[in-house]
Amino acid sequence: MGALEEGRFDPEVSDITVGEGAGGPAIGTMENAVRVLLMGLGEDSEREGLRKTPIRVAKAFREGTRGYRQKVEDIVQGAFFPEAGLDNGIGQAGGAGGMVVVRDINLFSYCESCLLPFSIKCHLGYVPSGQRVVGLSKLSRVADVFAKRLQEPQRLADEICQALQNSIRPAGVSVALQCWHIQFPEVLKCNMNLPRHPSRSSMQGWVHTSVCSSTGVFEQKKSSFSDDFHTLLQFSGANFGLSNAACSIHSWCPSRSLDVPESNGHMVRNNLLNGRIFSRPVVSHSSMVAAVASIILSLGEDPSRKELVGTPYRYVHWLMNFSRSNIDIRQNGFILNTINLHESSNGYIHRENEINSELNIPFCAQCEHHLLPFHGVVHIGYFHDEEKKDIDRSSLQAMVHFYGCKLQVQERLTRQIAEAVYSVLGRGVMVVVEANHICMISRGIEKVGSSTATIAVMGQFSTDITAKALFLEAISKVTAAVGP
């Protein structure tokens, strides 16, 4: 498409500054753009919970793309060490030039197609030369430089590989990446073939791809270095095969299938040039797209780069999954019209002491503090009503999706689901939400593997300790059966 006027983007546009020091005007520009996005979602950026969202989002984008302001030379300089026994020859471990491998480096990067963070498990290997080795921590730091840019998996692997080859001058480098991209919410809503008790892994349902890149001795057909590298990866559970062909990308970013309007670029450019993205009381879709383009420019990237021309549109499409709804689920007849009450013989129901439970209902929501997704599973336990009726799983899934698809915090989401189920049955409800927050693992704190659990109880569950214990035990049993 001809986004941003056939690749020409004017850096002189008022209020838009590229790559300013530690933030400065660039941060201010991004804050303004985030306010436009919130308005486009039907939200009030001054309400409690959103007041500091613009600065949080701006800082998160800035921190998440700090690689644009870092140099590999500054990292590896002074980190070389002579090692006795190494010479200019090439050999195996225990001899000259033994291979060095660092595995399972957890990284996060921003997908250049949709601006959503994606998860990376990075494995690096190199064969030293010149009688020197490099500090092991520097390998992961170099990888992080390129991860902290707008990326796609294969280019990321190639850039890390080439940077290590150029900076430490080894006999060869091999880089293998395992990457996971979060699905769009409509996939969770529409895919009725999801297993009843899916894994609760933090990457459950994500799009996965593996990519490789290599130089020097790792590319030589008669060399065993590549075979040894991949064998060492298998020891830690990573299976890449023995060639780059086995690690090619296929259907990576879910948003790539979106049709980006040809007129999109013209609208974006016109709105930027007219300054409309910061002043219009009613925010149009094109103004939201222009706001995202200004964020990309403020990060130091070129929104007209061919890989980025559709990115603003795709990011806005993602956000619109979470647009504010003024419809109350209990007042508009949603419950009566769409929730199916049926006899309790449904195979999904697990009855213990008159407690029904539906476990591991997947969801995806958008954190209103950082505009980053959080995702996981919802467990719902309830006492059936006096008429021995139950709610079927699809209706509970609809409830979860309804409350998940808006700007949220996990505590509120848990309470809203509990209130909605209780409004139908009115006897006793317990809801447990387990979630992984991208803001916890992709920003400065980088607590990879952390998860959050919240509980809401209403009615009989509030006083019946035994019932609560039985429901939590049911969750525990399913977790043990399907694995983490």
Side-chain angles (χ1 to χ4, degrees), residues 137-357:
S137 66
K138 306 304 179 185
L139 298 175
S140 60
R141 289 188 61 190
V142 169
D144 191 61
V145 166
F146 295 97
K148 292 299 186 286
R149 300 179 182 183
L150 303 186
Q151 284 288 5
E152 61 89 13
Q154 187 60 61
R155 188 175 72 246
L156 175 58
D158 292 342
E159 289 181 346
I160 295 172
C161 188
Q162 199 58 53
L164 290 174
Q165 180 66 45
N166 293 340
S167 60
I168 65 180
R169 302 292 180 183
V173 175
S174 188
V175 176
L177 305 180
Q178 297 169 280
C179 303
W180 292 267
H181 193 302
I182 195 168
Q183 278 283 12
F184 275 35
E186 54 261 36
V187 174
L188 295 178
K189 178 183 179 183
C190 300
N191 188 356
M192 302 306 294
N193 295 319
L194 288 171
R196 282 169 49 188
H197 300 307
S199 166
R200 294 188 302 164
S201 166
S202 62
M203 300 306 170
Q204 173 69 23
W206 288 37
V207 178
H208 173 257
T209 192
S210 298
V211 295
C212 304
S213 186
S214 58
T215 63
V217 295
F218 290 96
E219 294 182 302
Q220 297 174 7
K221 293 183 178 180
K222 295 183 180 181
S223 170
S224 64
F225 282 104
S226 181
D227 293 356
D228 294 344
F229 175 66
H230 286 92
T231 299
L232 289 173
L233 297 191
Q234 290 177 10
F235 291 171
S236 64
N239 189 357
F240 284 80
L242 301 179
S243 68
N244 284 8
C247 304
S248 60
I249 279 187
H250 178 68
S251 302
W252 169 237
C253 176
S255 73
R256 294 296 296 180
S257 61
L258 292 177
D259 293 327
V260 180
E262 287 293 330
S263 60
N264 184 57
H266 299 284
M267 292 189 296
V268 170
R269 182 173 176 80
N270 290 337
N271 284 344
L272 280 171
L273 293 175
N274 294 334
R276 289 158 60 191
I277 68 169
F278 302 122
S279 59
R280 292 185 63 182
V282 178
V283 177
S284 66
H285 187 274
S286 61
S287 294
M288 295 176 70
V289 171
V292 178
S294 75
I295 291 175
I296 294 173
L297 186 63
S298 296
L299 295 176
E301 261 288 3
D302 179 7
S304 66
R305 177 161 66 85
K306 66 178 182 178
E307 294 85 0
L308 294 175
V309 289
T311 298
Y313 176 87
R314 297 186 189 101
Y315 183 66
V316 170
H317 176 83
W318 163 268
L319 284 181
M320 292 307 292
N321 282 291
F322 308 96
S323 58
R324 182 183 179 188
S325 172
N326 292 320
I327 301 174
D328 190 294
I329 194 170
R330 286 166 297 177
Q331 295 178 353
N332 74 340
F334 179 89
I335 292 292
L336 296 178
N337 292 336
T338 65
I339 287 186
N340 298 317
L341 297 177
H342 56 82
E343 297 297 331
S344 59
S345 59
N346 189 311
Y348 289 134
I349 301 301
H350 304 272
R351 182 180 306 283
E352 293 214 32
N353 210 16
E354 296 188 333
I355 300 173
N356 298 341
S357 62

Side-chain angles (χ1 to χ4, degrees), residues 71-84 86 100 126-139 141-142 162-173:
K71 295 181 180 179
V72 172
E73 293 79 6
D74 295 337
I75 293 174
V76 300
Q77 188 175 18
F80 294 103
F81 306 96
E83 183 58 36
L86 295 181
V100 178
Y126 81 102
V127 176
S129 66
Q131 297 182 318
R132 64 179 188 174
V133 295
V134 68
L136 294 176
S137 66
K138 306 304 179 185
L139 298 175
R141 289 188 61 190
V142 169
Q162 199 58 53
L164 290 174
Q165 180 66 45
N166 293 340
S167 60
I168 65 180
R169 302 292 180 183
V173 175

Side-chain angles (χ1 to χ4, degrees), residues 397-416:
Q397 175 71 76
M399 282 187 182
V400 170
H401 185 78
F402 179 89
Y403 287 112
C405 282
K406 49 178 58 68
L407 298 188
Q408 273 288 13
V409 295
Q410 184 174 336
E411 298 89 339
R412 184 192 308 140
L413 174 65
T414 309
R415 173 180 56 81
Q416 288 176 334

